[in-house]
Amino acid sequence: AKAAAEARAERDRVESAEFAAFEAFASALRGAVRTVPAEVVRATRAGGATLAVQPDGSVLASGTNPDDDEQGYVLRTAATGMRAVLLEAIADPSLAGGRVGRAPNGNAVLDAIEVEAVSVADPAQRVRVPLAWAWADVEQPNGDFRVVNALRRDSRTWAVDGHRIPGNRAALFVSSEPFGFAGGTELHVTLVTRSPYAQHVLGRVRLRPAMVSDALVARLPPASSNLYICGPFPVSGGAQGYAGPFGPEAGLDVDQRFGAPTRGEFAWRHAPGVLEATSVRLAEGVDAE
């Protein structure tokens, strides 16, 4: 046990050169993401809440607080070549405990963010903005609540841990392609809140399009999710389990299905018991996971 503790301490010790390299990267990151001016044209909520644009460009919800909601924001900007949308959830005294969410405990979740760019000069020109990377300053740690979950509509969600940690939240969503039309662009942003957690809607939101340098995009690491598992895939013998591929060998596409439909298919599933640098029990029998 002592040797294991010493090994973990050595693993976690940050060398001065490593710290300096991280600080240099963080400094470059701050300078490589630049928000651009954008006007809030309108904001709507499917659940019927009252929305009010604030002097800082954020939108505050009050009144009706539905279990689920879809919030629509239209931003107008003259910028072109944009690569990201910055979402800020702002704590407000009107929300429970002065936090960021409309839930009774002040928490909030986001199931999905979707962005469409529409030309001001010719509204027939519109494209879906392909958001492909996400980062958040806070991700609730007690479940499958990473911000990458908000890149798609499914049962997964980003939770902001608002009931335990006070203060604002920020999330950056980066597109795989630049967006914006000459002559002006309306960005139609949809925030989806449809989860098992009733009334967990963000209460005060500010959305800002951003420029991100190509150099930074090229250096971005893969966006991190929780760990998932697929299988167990049956094998004919122990040796065969190590000899060939079984379904997903690289990358995570949660829509993929593996195996033969006639014999049963496998899909990715969240594996809360599978943790980094921790032993894990796999399925019984001769198989591969």
Coordinates of all heavy atoms in Angstrom, one line a residue, residues 203-247:
G203 N -31.0 29.5 -16.2 CA -31.9 30.6 -15.9 C -31.5 31.9 -16.6 O -32.3 32.7 -17.0
R204 N -30.2 32.1 -16.7 CA -29.7 33.3 -17.4 C -28.5 33.0 -18.3 O -27.5 32.5 -17.8 CB -29.3 34.4 -16.3 CG -28.8 35.7 -16.9 CD -28.5 36.7 -15.8 NE -27.9 37.9 -16.3 CZ -27.5 39.0 -15.6 NH1 -27.6 38.9 -14.3 NH2 -27.0 40.0 -16.2
V205 N -28.7 33.2 -19.5 CA -27.8 32.7 -20.5 C -27.3 33.8 -21.4 O -28.0 34.7 -21.8 CB -28.4 31.6 -21.4 CG1 -27.5 31.2 -22.6 CG2 -28.7 30.3 -20.6
R206 N -26.0 33.8 -21.7 CA -25.4 34.7 -22.7 C -24.7 33.9 -23.7 O -23.8 33.0 -23.3 CB -24.5 35.7 -22.0 CG -23.8 36.7 -23.0 CD -23.2 37.9 -22.4 NE -22.1 37.4 -21.4 CZ -21.6 38.2 -20.5 NH1 -22.1 39.5 -20.3 NH2 -20.7 37.8 -19.7
L207 N -25.0 34.1 -25.0 CA -24.3 33.4 -26.1 C -23.5 34.4 -26.9 O -24.0 35.4 -27.3 CB -25.4 32.7 -26.9 CG -26.2 31.6 -26.2 CD1 -27.5 31.3 -27.0 CD2 -25.4 30.3 -26.2
R208 N -22.3 34.0 -27.2 CA -21.4 34.9 -28.0 C -20.7 34.1 -29.0 O -20.0 33.1 -28.7 CB -20.5 35.6 -27.1 CG -21.2 36.6 -26.1 CD -20.2 37.6 -25.5 NE -19.5 36.9 -24.4 CZ -18.5 37.6 -23.7 NH1 -18.2 38.8 -24.0 NH2 -17.9 36.9 -22.7
P209 N -20.8 34.4 -30.3 CA -20.0 33.8 -31.3 C -18.5 34.2 -31.1 O -18.2 35.2 -30.5 CB -20.5 34.3 -32.6 CG -21.2 35.6 -32.3 CD -21.7 35.4 -30.9
A210 N -17.6 33.3 -31.6 CA -16.2 33.6 -31.3 C -15.4 33.2 -32.5 O -15.7 32.3 -33.3 CB -15.7 32.8 -30.1
M211 N -14.2 33.8 -32.6 CA -13.2 33.5 -33.6 C -12.2 32.6 -32.9 O -11.8 32.9 -31.7 CB -12.5 34.7 -34.1 CG -13.4 35.8 -34.6 SD -14.4 35.4 -36.0 CE -13.1 35.6 -37.3
V212 N -11.7 31.6 -33.5 CA -10.7 30.7 -33.0 C -9.7 30.5 -34.0 O -10.0 30.1 -35.2 CB -11.3 29.3 -32.5 CG1 -10.2 28.4 -32.0 CG2 -12.4 29.5 -31.5
S213 N -8.4 30.7 -33.7 CA -7.4 30.6 -34.7 C -7.2 29.2 -35.2 O -7.5 28.2 -34.5 CB -6.0 31.0 -34.1 OG -5.5 30.1 -33.1
D214 N -6.8 29.0 -36.5 CA -6.6 27.7 -37.0 C -5.5 27.0 -36.3 O -5.6 25.7 -36.1 CB -6.2 27.8 -38.5 CG -7.3 28.3 -39.4 OD1 -8.5 28.2 -39.0 OD2 -7.0 28.9 -40.5
A215 N -4.5 27.7 -35.8 CA -3.4 27.1 -35.0 C -4.0 26.4 -33.8 O -3.5 25.3 -33.4 CB -2.3 28.1 -34.7
L216 N -4.9 27.1 -33.1 CA -5.5 26.5 -31.9 C -6.3 25.3 -32.2 O -6.2 24.2 -31.5 CB -6.3 27.5 -31.1 CG -7.0 27.0 -29.9 CD1 -6.0 26.4 -28.9 CD2 -7.9 28.0 -29.2
V217 N -7.2 25.4 -33.2 CA -8.0 24.3 -33.6 C -7.1 23.0 -33.9 O -7.5 21.9 -33.5 CB -8.9 24.6 -34.8 CG1 -9.6 23.4 -35.4 CG2 -9.9 25.7 -34.5
A218 N -6.0 23.2 -34.6 CA -5.1 22.1 -34.9 C -4.5 21.5 -33.7 O -4.2 20.3 -33.7 CB -4.0 22.6 -35.9
R219 N -4.4 22.3 -32.6 CA -3.8 21.7 -31.4 C -4.8 21.2 -30.4 O -4.4 20.6 -29.3 CB -3.0 22.9 -30.7 CG -1.8 23.3 -31.5 CD -1.0 24.4 -30.7 NE -0.5 24.0 -29.5 CZ 0.1 24.8 -28.6 NH1 0.0 26.1 -28.8 NH2 0.6 24.3 -27.4
L220 N -6.1 21.4 -30.6 CA -7.0 20.9 -29.6 C -7.0 19.4 -29.4 O -7.0 18.6 -30.4 CB -8.5 21.3 -30.1 CG -8.8 22.8 -30.0 CD1 -10.2 23.0 -30.6 CD2 -8.8 23.3 -28.6
P221 N -6.9 18.9 -28.2 CA -7.0 17.5 -28.0 C -8.4 17.0 -28.2 O -9.3 17.8 -28.3 CB -6.6 17.4 -26.5 CG -7.1 18.6 -25.9 CD -6.9 19.7 -27.0
P222 N -8.5 15.7 -28.3 CA -9.9 15.1 -28.4 C -10.7 15.6 -27.2 O -10.3 15.7 -26.1 CB -9.7 13.6 -28.4 CG -8.3 13.4 -28.9 CD -7.5 14.6 -28.4
A223 N -12.0 15.9 -27.5 CA -12.9 16.3 -26.4 C -13.1 15.0 -25.5 O -13.3 13.9 -26.0 CB -14.2 16.8 -26.9
S224 N -13.1 15.2 -24.2 CA -13.2 14.0 -23.3 C -14.6 13.7 -22.9 O -15.4 14.6 -22.6 CB -12.4 14.4 -22.0 OG -11.0 14.5 -22.3
S225 N -14.9 12.4 -23.0 CA -16.2 11.9 -22.5 C -15.9 11.0 -21.3 O -14.8 10.8 -20.9 CB -16.9 11.1 -23.6 OG -16.3 9.8 -23.7
N226 N -17.0 10.5 -20.7 CA -16.8 9.4 -19.7 C -16.4 8.2 -20.5 O -16.4 8.1 -21.7 CB -18.1 9.2 -18.9 CG -18.2 10.3 -17.8 OD1 -17.3 10.5 -17.0 ND2 -19.3 10.9 -17.7
L227 N -16.2 7.1 -19.7 CA -15.8 5.8 -20.3 C -17.0 5.0 -20.7 O -18.0 5.0 -19.9 CB -14.8 5.1 -19.4 CG -13.4 5.7 -19.3 CD1 -12.7 5.1 -18.1 CD2 -12.7 5.5 -20.5
Y228 N -16.9 4.4 -21.8 CA -18.1 3.5 -22.3 C -17.5 2.1 -22.6 O -16.3 1.9 -22.8 CB -18.6 4.1 -23.6 CG -19.4 5.4 -23.3 CD1 -18.8 6.6 -23.1 CD2 -20.8 5.4 -23.3 CE1 -19.4 7.8 -22.9 CE2 -21.5 6.6 -23.1 CZ -20.8 7.8 -22.8 OH -21.5 8.9 -22.6
I229 N -18.5 1.2 -22.6 CA -18.1 -0.2 -22.9 C -19.0 -0.8 -23.9 O -20.2 -0.3 -24.1 CB -18.1 -1.0 -21.5 CG1 -17.4 -2.3 -21.7 CG2 -19.6 -1.2 -21.1 CD1 -17.1 -3.0 -20.3
C230 N -18.5 -1.8 -24.6 CA -19.3 -2.5 -25.7 C -19.0 -4.0 -25.6 O -17.9 -4.4 -25.5 CB -19.0 -1.9 -27.0 SG -20.1 -2.3 -28.3
G231 N -20.1 -4.8 -25.7 CA -19.9 -6.2 -25.6 C -20.8 -6.8 -24.5 O -21.7 -6.1 -24.0
P232 N -20.5 -8.0 -24.1 CA -19.4 -8.9 -24.5 C -19.6 -9.6 -25.8 O -20.6 -10.1 -26.1 CB -19.3 -9.9 -23.3 CG -20.7 -10.0 -22.8 CD -21.3 -8.6 -23.0
F233 N -18.5 -9.6 -26.6 CA -18.5 -10.3 -27.9 C -18.1 -11.7 -27.7 O -17.0 -12.0 -27.1 CB -17.6 -9.6 -28.9 CG -17.9 -8.2 -29.2 CD1 -17.4 -7.1 -28.5 CD2 -18.8 -7.9 -30.2 CE1 -17.7 -5.8 -28.8 CE2 -19.1 -6.6 -30.6 CZ -18.6 -5.6 -29.8
P234 N -18.9 -12.7 -28.1 CA -18.4 -14.1 -27.9 C -17.2 -14.5 -28.7 O -17.1 -14.0 -29.9 CB -19.7 -14.9 -28.3 CG -20.4 -14.0 -29.2 CD -20.2 -12.6 -28.8
V235 N -16.4 -15.3 -28.2 CA -15.2 -15.8 -28.9 C -15.2 -17.3 -28.9 O -15.7 -17.9 -27.9 CB -13.9 -15.2 -28.4 CG1 -13.9 -13.7 -28.5 CG2 -13.7 -15.6 -27.0
S236 N -14.5 -17.9 -29.8 CA -14.5 -19.4 -29.9 C -13.5 -20.0 -28.9 O -13.6 -21.1 -28.6 CB -14.2 -19.8 -31.3 OG -13.0 -19.3 -31.8
G237 N -12.5 -19.2 -28.5 CA -11.5 -19.7 -27.6 C -10.7 -18.6 -27.0 O -10.8 -17.4 -27.5
G238 N -10.0 -18.8 -25.9 CA -9.3 -17.8 -25.3 C -8.3 -17.1 -26.2 O -8.2 -15.8 -26.2
A239 N -7.5 -17.8 -27.0 CA -6.5 -17.2 -27.8 C -7.2 -16.3 -28.9 O -6.6 -15.2 -29.2 CB -5.7 -18.3 -28.5
Q240 N -8.3 -16.7 -29.4 CA -9.0 -16.0 -30.4 C -9.5 -14.6 -29.9 O -9.6 -13.6 -30.6 CB -10.2 -16.7 -31.0 CG -10.8 -16.2 -32.3 CD -12.0 -15.4 -32.1 OE1 -12.7 -15.5 -31.1 NE2 -12.3 -14.6 -33.1
G241 N -9.7 -14.5 -28.6 CA -10.1 -13.2 -28.0 C -9.0 -12.2 -28.1 O -9.3 -11.0 -28.0
Y242 N -7.8 -12.5 -28.3 CA -6.7 -11.6 -28.4 C -6.2 -11.4 -29.9 O -5.4 -10.5 -30.2 CB -5.5 -12.0 -27.6 CG -5.7 -12.1 -26.1 CD1 -6.1 -13.3 -25.5 CD2 -5.6 -11.0 -25.3 CE1 -6.4 -13.3 -24.2 CE2 -5.8 -11.0 -24.0 CZ -6.2 -12.2 -23.4 OH -6.5 -12.3 -22.1
A243 N -6.8 -12.2 -30.8 CA -6.2 -12.2 -32.1 C -6.9 -11.3 -33.1 O -6.2 -10.9 -34.1 CB -6.3 -13.7 -32.7
G244 N -8.1 -10.9 -32.9 CA -8.8 -10.2 -33.9 C -9.6 -9.0 -33.4 O -9.8 -8.9 -32.1
P245 N -10.1 -8.1 -34.2 CA -10.9 -7.0 -33.7 C -12.4 -7.4 -33.4 O -12.9 -8.4 -34.0 CB -10.9 -6.0 -34.9 CG -10.8 -6.9 -36.1 CD -9.9 -8.1 -35.7
F246 N -13.0 -6.7 -32.5 CA -14.3 -7.0 -32.1 C -15.1 -5.7 -32.1 O -14.9 -4.9 -31.2 CB -14.4 -7.7 -30.7 CG -13.9 -9.0 -30.7 CD1 -12.5 -9.3 -30.5 CD2 -14.7 -10.1 -31.0 CE1 -12.0 -10.5 -30.5 CE2 -14.2 -11.4 -30.9 CZ -12.8 -11.6 -30.7
G247 N -15.8 -5.4 -33.2 CA -16.6 -4.2 -33.2 C -15.7 -2.9 -33.1 O -14.8 -2.8 -34.0

